[in-house]
Amino acid sequence: MTAYEAVKVRLDPTPRQERMLASHAGAARFAYNLMLSRICRQLSLGERPDWTMYAMRRWWNEWKDEIAPWWRENSKEAYNSAFEWLSQALRNWSDSRKGRRSGRRVGWPKYKSKRTSIPRFAYTTGSFGLIDGDPKALRLPRIGRVHCMENTAKLVHGRRIVRMTVSRRAGAWYAALTVEQQPGAHPARKARRRDYPVGVDLGVKTLATLSDGTVLPNPHGYVRARHRLRHAQQTLSRRDKDTNHGRGSNRRYKALDRVRRIHARIAAQRADRIGKLTAWLAATYPDISIEDLNVRGMTRNHRLAKHVLDAGFAEFRRQLEYKTARAGTRLHVIDRWYPSSKTCHRCGTVKAKLSLGERVYHCDGCGLTMDRDLNAAVNIMVAGSAPETLNARGGDVRRPGSSEATQTPVKREPSGHESAVRLGAAPGNRGM
């Protein structure tokens, strides 16, 4: 079975190429808004429009010379990608109304704005992709050779590129390459150095604490950049937004670009940190156990929401799931109601209350004293080794005491490594 993987690289276009990229993105936005207006007009007249991508393409090919005589300046793929995205948005709206989609309802598609929407377009056919003998460049039809910031050929690793989406975020252009991932075709990973299971306790003070004593620090990217971000947002608030027919002054959009660049840098640092940590975990340990955290519920605490979102718990788990599957590592997800922080891993005593301010765990039963995150990581490791633990998202999560059976960890005799950790002889921080 063929799987797909995304490879995102930053482009380094010339000023002329930047204008052409913006022209392609503007053409895609024009086609999207034009077709959405036509569908809305048909619905207002009581007609039943055909909003499949192929129907939109046929109508566009019939009327494009009269509606947009300049269409030849851009690649046809820019218009086709707009029809594909609009067709998917309308299909999602229709399925949501018919109850075919779980979760919240999907609203009617909105028009794309030149100022607020993300400029983007995609290539699915034609001679796009890598250039032989030029590993740090990509070929874009109608635009030509565009230099890249990194070795794209090394990232693609000889796999076939089936799609390339070009977008602009915070003043920089990026190309997202969708490549085929054949079984066993991924570059070889480094051999694992440790042959014992590990439990991972995610937190705000430290991003992750492992059951073997390894501590992965949390750099707090948003907290460190909040002063620069606050200053940029204050400058933006002073700029006039009522000039230029209500669209705002040019100085306001320059200030807005500065705010966007700061946010983009924070997001890039977070993605880089999580990507490296999850790849290291998947390549180092044969069995990994984590908790099924309720991130949405944690963000309801307004004192912690900023720090929880800055840590990226949901993204950490998402990347760990597919990277462990790709590396052949077993991933175990523990029930979110399992009291890993309140339970003593030596005697099993469960505390009734444990405030977030108590960073050292003191057991009233056996007198154990150790770091609360390390204690939770050991409990997660033991619970993940139980036979009842489900892999990844393989089962329902219910609160203990409900009418149906719940997932409960089974105690077992600890291995030699676990006994060393329980006796307080856990190895120190081995780094990465």
Side-chain angles (χ1 to χ4, degrees):
M1 181 178 179
T2 303
Y4 297 96
E5 183 180 353
V7 177
K8 190 174 182 179
V9 296
R10 180 173 175 177
L11 302 179
D12 183 26
T14 63
R16 172 183 167 275
Q17 291 175 340
E18 280 198 69
R19 292 191 296 270
M20 297 184 68
L21 291 172
S23 177
H24 278 67
R29 184 185 67 252
F30 172 82
Y32 186 98
N33 293 339
L34 174 68
M35 200 59 60
L36 182 58
S37 298
R38 177 174 177 269
I39 293 175
C40 291
R41 190 182 310 111
Q42 289 178 316
L43 291 174
S44 64
L45 296 176
E47 301 177 5
R48 186 175 181 180
D50 185 0
W51 54 46
T52 61
M53 180 185 65
Y54 304 102
M56 297 180 187
R57 189 184 298 177
R58 286 194 302 268
W59 185 88
W60 167 257
N61 291 331
E62 181 180 356
W63 296 97
K64 61 185 178 182
D65 290 327
E66 299 182 13
I67 298 176
W70 42 263
W71 67 270
R72 292 182 178 84
E73 299 177 4
N74 306 293
S75 173
K76 64 180 179 63
E77 289 297 297
Y79 311 103
N80 293 338
S81 59
F83 301 146
E84 178 187 357
W85 291 328
L86 178 58
S87 176
Q88 182 63 43
L90 292 169
R91 193 181 310 117
N92 293 340
W93 172 81
S94 178
D95 293 344
S96 176
R97 287 177 59 87
K98 297 177 182 178
R100 298 176 183 174
R101 293 177 60 89
S102 59
R104 63 179 183 178
R105 298 190 62 176
V106 178
W108 180 259
K110 298 180 179 179
Y111 290 98
K112 292 187 177 295
S113 170
K114 181 179 180 180
R115 295 289 187 178
T116 59
S117 62
I118 298 176
R120 62 171 183 165
F121 62 96
Y123 293 102
T124 56
T125 60
S127 58
F128 66 91
L130 300 176
I131 301 176
D132 295 337
D134 196 353
K136 298 188 67 174
L138 289 173
R139 180 186 292 110
L140 278 66
R142 290 296 181 95
I143 299 177
R145 175 195 176 277
V146 180
H147 185 261
C148 300
M149 292 291 192
E150 48 191 327
N151 193 325
T152 309
K154 182 179 179 180
L155 298 175
V156 174
H157 194 68
R159 294 168 289 180
R160 189 172 73 93
I161 302 175
V162 298
R163 183 186 182 92
M164 178 167 58
T165 303
V166 183
S167 61
R168 183 177 183 270
R169 294 176 182 270
W173 288 93
Y174 298 89
L177 310 177
T178 304
V179 297
E180 286 186 349
Q181 178 63 43
Q182 298 292 344
H186 199 273
R189 300 284 181 178
K190 294 182 180 179
R192 295 192 183 96
R193 296 170 293 167
R194 306 175 189 182
D195 57 354
Y196 50 84
V198 69
V200 181
D201 179 68
L202 300 179
V204 172
K205 185 177 180 180
T206 58
L207 179 60
T209 301
L210 309 187
S211 58
D212 61 0
T214 304
V215 178
L216 308 177
N218 185 4
H220 302 282
Y222 180 84
V223 176
R224 292 190 302 170
R226 61 183 175 183
H227 297 293
R228 290 188 293 112
L229 182 60
R230 181 184 303 169
H231 183 267
Q233 289 174 334
Q234 289 175 348
T235 303
L236 175 62
S237 65
R238 291 193 297 266
R239 296 294 181 257
D240 191 357
K241 61 181 179 181
D242 297 328
T243 59
N244 198 11
H245 304 285
R247 291 179 295 181
S249 63
N250 291 332
R251 294 183 67 197
R252 182 178 186 275
Y253 283 102
K254 289 181 180 179
L256 180 60
D257 286 340
R258 183 187 175 192
V259 174
R260 289 173 175 172
R261 286 195 297 270
I262 296 175
H263 278 295
R265 180 175 176 83
I266 296 172
Q269 291 174 343
R270 183 185 303 116
D272 179 74
R273 176 180 70 252
I274 294 177
K276 290 179 179 178
L277 292 182
T278 51
W280 175 77
L281 284 171
T284 304
Y285 298 95
D287 287 271
I288 302 175
S289 301
I290 60 174
E291 285 183 294
D292 181 28
L293 296 176
N294 182 15
V295 179
R296 180 175 297 181
M298 296 170 67
T299 55
R300 293 173 184 171
N301 186 338
H302 299 293
R303 295 184 178 180
L304 292 177
K306 174 173 58 179
H307 303 281
V308 170
L309 295 177
D310 187 26
F313 293 157
E315 181 65 14
F316 189 98
R317 173 176 169 178
R318 186 192 71 84
Q319 293 194 22
L320 194 61
E321 284 183 356
Y322 79 82
K323 288 181 180 179
T324 51
R326 187 174 63 188
T329 302
R330 292 178 294 273
L331 177 65
H332 310 280
V333 180
I334 310 305
D335 188 349
R336 67 176 56 174
W337 304 113
Y338 175 60
S340 59
S341 298
K342 299 179 181 180
T343 304
C344 175
H345 73 266
R346 177 185 291 176
C347 64
T349 303
V350 180
K351 284 193 172 186
K353 292 183 179 181
L354 183 66
S355 63
L356 292 177
E358 299 181 39
R359 306 311 305 171
V360 178
Y361 184 87
H362 299 279
C363 179
D364 299 331
C366 63
L368 173 69
T369 300
M370 66 183 306
D371 182 78
R372 63 173 288 166
D373 294 334
L374 178 59
N375 175 69
V378 175
N379 287 328
I380 293 172
M381 178 193 64
V382 176
S385 303
E388 285 77 5
T389 302
L390 302 178
N391 285 339
R393 301 180 184 271
D396 296 333
V397 177
R398 301 180 183 275
R399 183 188 295 271
S402 60
S403 57
E404 300 186 16
T406 59
Q407 174 187 341
T408 56
V410 177
K411 293 184 178 180
R412 61 179 179 82
E413 291 298 325
S415 61
H417 168 70
E418 297 169 16
S419 300
V421 175
R422 293 189 176 191
L423 293 175
N429 188 344
R430 304 186 185 183
M432 292 185 58

